[in-house]
Amino acid sequence: MLVALGRFTVRHRRAVLVGAVVFVLASFAFAGGVADRLTSGGFADPSSESERAAALLRRDFATQDPNFVLLVTAKHGTVNDPAVADAGRRITGALAAERGVAQVASYWSLDDAAPLASRNGREALVLGVITGSDDHVNDVVKGLASRYTLDNGTVHVAVGGRAEVFRQVGDTIKQDLGRAESLAFPITLVLLVLVFGSLVAAGLPLLVGVVAIAGSFLALYVVSSITEVSIYSLNLATAMGLGLAIDYSLFVVSRFREELRNGADPHAAVVRTVATAGRTVAGSAITVAVALTALALFPLSFLRSFAYAGVAVSVLAALGAIVVLPALLAVLGRRVDSLRLFRHREPKPIGEGVWHRVAMLVMRRPVPIATVVIVILVALGLPFLRLQIGLPDDRVLPSSLSSRQVQDQIRAHFGSNEAGALQIVAPALGDPQTHTAEIAFYAMSLSRVPGVARVDAIVGSFIPGGQVPVPPATAARFQSAHGTWLSVVPSVEPMSSAGEQLAHDVRALPSPVGRVLVSGPSAQLVDSKHSLFGKMPWAALWIGVATFVLLFLMFGSVVVPIKALVLNVLSLTATFGAMVWIFQDGHLSSVLGFTATGSLAATMPILMFCVAFGLSMDYEVFLLSRIKEEHDATHDNQGSVAHGLERTGRIVTAAAVLISVVFVAFATSGVSFIKLFGIGLALAVLMDAFVIRATLVPAFMRLAGEVNWWAPRPLRRLYDRFGLSEVEAVEPAVVAASARVPDAADARERVTVP
């Protein structure tokens, strides 16, 4: 099939290139504004208790968490001074009159409610709810933020709350995406020139990257018309689009140049490159895509969005590398090395290169070298045992942004976190006026739970040891014809282990008002962790089984896939240990510019595992393909390992450095979990390419010997029938003959400059 594809690409090379240009232009024209269609939400499980409780609150009580917060600071005196109080009431009234804003309350509208004022009396809060979907909320808050950011002689007003936090996160992501691209492309081009020595050859991977990124944006645009897609998936599409395009193009161009050095006609070299390197690229792309499809098993649209982006970019990068790139090579021929800036030394004869010497050194002492490396990797991975996970909040943003500053002020100066309240819904209680005693008893019990600052209910407000009456208008919002709800305002940070414990304690408290459902930020954290880690074993099983099957079909061995899976897990453990040490514990936080919260965003370890696992298998397939190619020809296990590492060592090293540059460029993001994503994947790629491939792979393959290629007889028969075998049996002369196209253009293009 790949031989036929190579012939087709050579024969119709100009049509292929024209089609690629049209595809890229149409994709950017149609989907260039894809970011405006994506959401900054998607971190909640729709079927969880917290989300069901939130839905009941919206449906039966027309209420929900406050997501819009104004921090009003008195320029002189306190928030009780007449001028400040008048300003506060005017701001409250104006916000209540805004279309799409509900449940507006403030320190002044609630008769100087103490919890809404700071301990020093100079700051007070105005709370509101912007109703509607995440995207609608994002649109509304953009206008509100500009109108209600005020600074006059009486008060200073700053905008915060979850709605503004996630709007600023989304805007920061968009800005970071443009900056990362502007950094990654020129740096990558310079490095590619260093690798190839030629401007023409260096530009080819970037062209393939443009095809992959454009197609991925189009895919996300189409998917976003069907289901919710996270804006953060654009980072993956861009980073992996460029990274995989570089990986695959390096392999294809290097193989093409190798075939030319071996004396093949340019068109024959293209066909042979597609038949050999193309198979490796296709297998690698399938492996990466399979790893990323595991993200579709999770109920959070944030993670599912990365599955959409990852599968699209893997497939498109592979198509670009084995269809569009060969068409370019067929047109360029030996001119692929045009505009040469410098000339590399001629490759050393097989057996004399540095990677050959590294492989032989490792295989002479496989046990001590493997032991030392494994001990180091395990030691690096030990911090992962202390992993704590949470959900993103305002602290993912730089401290210079307004929403972050507002939340920092609330943490520092207020005794409770009004916007982080838990909501307890009793939907089947009946008329709450006939159950006031039970509600009062329940509210008083809740107020005594550690970490609770206040409980608000239809019968009043409760603090540990006492009850405070509330105005009838305020109490009315807690009732419907069939039930009631209570607000539990925490004194602890909602997105923390203390907030998580508070949610557990509230849910564990016996309810005298019938079945209850608990919502709010801390409850969402508990439910998200349960949803994610409940699905994680199934995702890991899918990745493991699917990868094993793919590697078996490619190499006909059951030993090689098991070895690859074990080494990948070992490599990723060390990477995750480093991420815990850096981002959870806060080491290097001042250097990298982020705020450590004592936890990692719950979705990040899962996302990084799937992406890094796929990329690690990418290099595994590159290396094993050349090892098997040599082993099939010589049946010399040790020699084939050294030969394969020598042939791919320089390519894999260059690819790893280049894709790491791309990920590090995205690590310049101001959003801390995007920074974590970029740095973590860069470390994973470099560790895999320089440590695993250079030491553990040759060591284990040396120890296993011919057992590397063993499979039980039934599986061997299955491989012989269905395996994705190498196309090495095709004689070069046959391939060359099949590639020739009898037209005048071909004849002219085969006359090349030495």
Side-chain angles (χ1 to χ4, degrees):
M1 182 179 69
L2 289 172
V3 171
L5 178 61
R7 295 177 192 168
F8 174 87
T9 301
V10 170
R11 188 178 298 273
H12 302 286
R13 51 198 177 279
R14 292 185 179 83
V16 169
L17 294 177
V18 170
V21 171
V22 171
F23 173 75
V24 169
L25 294 177
S27 295
F28 280 129
F30 187 69
V34 63
D36 297 330
R37 296 171 59 93
L38 307 185
T39 177
S40 59
F43 294 98
D45 177 2
S47 64
S48 66
E49 177 183 334
S50 56
E51 287 300 296
R52 287 185 285 122
L56 284 172
L57 284 168
R58 291 191 296 269
R59 187 192 71 188
D60 296 345
F61 302 94
T63 190
Q64 63 187 78
D65 292 343
N67 58 6
F68 188 74
V69 177
L70 298 179
L71 178 67
V72 181
T73 304
K75 286 292 191 68
H76 307 285
T78 70
V79 293
N80 292 315
D81 289 354
V84 177
D86 286 344
R89 282 188 283 268
R90 285 197 303 271
I91 293 169
T92 304
L95 183 61
E98 295 279 357
R99 179 179 297 180
V101 181
Q103 301 170 225
V104 175
S106 71
Y107 170 76
W108 302 279
S109 69
L110 295 178
D111 298 328
D112 299 343
L116 296 181
S118 63
R119 284 183 287 265
N120 62 12
R122 296 195 61 242
E123 299 162 312
L125 299 178
V126 180
L127 307 178
V129 173
I130 304 173
T131 58
S133 66
D134 287 338
D135 295 334
H136 176 72
V137 169
N138 193 63
D139 292 337
V140 172
V141 76
K142 185 175 183 178
L144 293 178
S146 61
R147 290 198 296 276
Y148 286 89
T149 300
L150 305 173
D151 192 4
N152 54 41
T154 305
V155 295
H156 171 78
V157 182
V159 177
R162 183 172 57 87
E164 178 66 357
V165 166
F166 280 96
R167 183 190 74 83
Q168 292 191 337
V169 167
D171 289 349
T172 304
I173 291 290
K174 292 178 186 178
Q175 297 167 8
D176 293 343
L177 190 62
R179 183 176 65 249
E181 290 172 346
S182 65
L183 287 172
F185 270 89
I187 295 174
T188 301
L189 179 59
V190 170
L191 293 175
L192 285 168
V193 171
L194 294 176
V195 172
F196 286 116
S198 158
L199 282 176
V200 172
L204 297 179
L206 296 182
L207 294 177
V208 175
V210 170
V211 172
I213 292 170
S216 300
F217 280 19
L218 178 62
L220 292 176
Y221 187 92
V222 172
V223 174
S224 68
S225 65
I226 303 170
T227 186
E228 187 177 68
V229 178
S230 171
I231 192 171
Y232 308 113
S233 61
L234 290 179
N235 292 74
L236 183 72
T238 304
M240 286 195 66
L242 185 56
L244 290 179
I246 290 170
D247 277 6
Y248 298 159
S249 300
L250 274 174
F251 202 69
V252 169
V253 174
S254 297
R255 186 61 183 249
F256 175 71
R257 296 169 91 190
E258 181 182 327
E259 295 296 337
L260 291 181
R261 287 196 301 270
N262 291 338
D265 173 88
H267 290 169
V270 169
V271 176
R272 190 167 178 79
T273 296
V274 173
T276 53
R279 170 191 173 275
T280 302
V281 167
S284 171
I286 294 172
T287 305
V288 174
V290 163
L292 290 170
T293 56
L295 295 169
L297 297 174
F298 294 92
L300 279 64
S301 63
F302 172 81
L303 286 178
R304 292 202 307 272
S305 300
F306 285 90
Y308 311 144
V311 171
V313 79
S314 302
V315 172
L316 288 161
L319 287 175
I322 62 179
V323 177
V324 179
L325 181 56
L328 276 168
L329 295 175
V331 170
L332 291 171
R334 298 184 190 279
R335 289 171 294 177
V336 70
D337 289 325
S338 298
L339 301 181
R340 184 180 289 279
L341 299 183
F342 58 88
R343 188 176 296 275
H344 287 294
R345 291 179 297 178
E346 287 297 320
K348 293 184 178 181
I350 296 299
E352 298 181 13
V354 62
W355 287 106
H356 188 279
R357 294 197 297 271
V358 168
M360 295 305 295
L361 173 65
V362 171
M363 288 189 288
R364 280 195 295 271
R365 299 175 180 83
V367 173
I369 290 177
T371 301
V372 170
V373 173
I374 290 172
V375 168
I376 293 173
L377 292 177
V378 170
L380 290 174
L382 287 177
F384 186 62
L385 298 175
R386 296 186 282 101
L387 174 68
Q388 297 290 327
I389 62 172
L391 290 180
D393 61 12
D394 60 284
R395 290 171 293 179
V396 305
L397 288 169
S399 57
S400 59
L401 292 183
S402 61
S403 61
R404 167 67 188 276
Q405 292 172 349
V406 167
Q407 298 305 124
D408 282 344
Q409 290 289 94
I410 292 173
R411 287 188 194 93
H413 300 156
F414 288 73
S416 63
N417 193 324
E418 303 294 321
L422 292 168
Q423 294 87 35
I424 304 176
V425 187
L429 175 65
D431 183 0
Q433 295 297 337
T434 64
H435 297 277
T436 55
E438 295 97 316
I439 295 171
F441 177 79
Y442 189 35
M444 183 62 74
S445 300
L446 287 167
S447 71
R448 296 191 178 103
V449 173
V452 173
R454 188 181 79 255
V455 178
D456 297 329
I458 188 174
V459 293
S461 292
F462 296 77
I463 58 176
Q467 179 179 356
V468 180
V470 296
T474 301
R477 70 190 183 105
F478 291 104
Q479 70 176 355
S480 72
H482 307 291
T484 189
W485 69 280
L486 301 88
S487 173
V488 179
V489 180
S491 61
V492 297
E493 176 62 40
M495 294 300 183
S496 66
S497 57
E500 190 177 353
Q501 185 60 51
L502 174 61
H504 283 300
D505 292 342
V506 167
R507 284 177 170 172
L509 189 70
S511 165
V513 294
R515 181 178 64 91
V516 297
L517 299 174
V518 180
S519 183
S522 298
Q524 187 186 49
L525 172 59
V526 171
D527 292 342
S528 295
K529 290 175 68 171
H530 176 75
S531 297
L532 291 172
F533 290 96
K535 296 290 186 182
M536 189 61 198
W538 295 106
L541 180 63
W542 162 250
I543 291 174
V545 171
T547 301
F548 180 90
V549 170
L550 284 169
L551 292 181
F552 169 75
L553 291 175
M554 293 187 71
F555 303 113
S557 164
V558 297
V559 176
V560 163
I562 293 173
K563 182 265 304 176
L565 290 170
V566 171
L567 294 186
N568 268 19
V569 170
L570 187 62
S571 172
L572 293 178
T573 300
T575 301
F576 287 143
M579 292 302 94
V580 168
W581 188 80
I582 295 172
F583 286 92
Q584 178 178 301
D585 298 346
H587 298 102
L588 306 181
S589 59
S590 59
V591 176
L592 297 175
F594 69 91
T595 299
T597 62
S599 64
L600 302 183
T603 52
M604 282 296 108
I606 295 170
L607 176 61
M608 286 178 57
F609 175 80
C610 293
V611 175
F613 192 95
L615 292 175
S616 297
M617 282 301 176
D618 189 29
Y619 298 136
E620 183 82 10
V621 170
F622 283 0
L623 175 57
L624 290 177
S625 294
R626 289 311 290 261
I627 291 176
K628 187 174 189 299
E629 181 180 330
E630 179 66 15
H631 186 269
D632 288 347
T634 65
H635 300 286
D636 174 6
N637 179 69
Q638 190 166 332
S640 64
V641 172
H643 178 91
L645 188 60
E646 183 173 17
R647 284 296 194 190
T648 61
R650 181 172 175 270
I651 301 171
V652 168
T653 301
V657 171
L658 287 163
I659 199 171
S660 297
V661 167
V662 175
F663 286 132
V664 169
F666 283 88
T668 61
S669 173
V671 178
S672 64
F673 62 80
I674 299 296
K675 193 185 298 288
L676 164 66
F677 180 74
I679 293 175
L681 289 181
L683 281 177
V685 167
L686 292 174
M687 176 127 12
D688 192 77
F690 285 92
V691 179
I692 302 298
R693 303 293 154 244
T695 59
L696 294 186
V697 170
F700 276 78
M701 296 199 76
R702 169 68 178 85
L703 292 171
E706 290 300 319
V707 176
N708 281 310
W709 312 107
W710 176 83
R713 187 169 299 174
L715 290 180
R716 173 59 59 182
R717 287 197 296 268
L718 183 69
Y719 173 75
D720 291 340
R721 184 171 181 181
F722 299 107
L724 307 175
S725 58
E726 285 283 1
V727 195
E728 291 303 312
V730 181
E731 292 293 334
V734 176
V735 176
S738 68
R740 295 194 180 100
V741 182
D743 61 20
D746 257 3
R748 285 195 302 273
E749 288 186 6
R750 285 199 298 272
V751 178
T752 55
V753 179

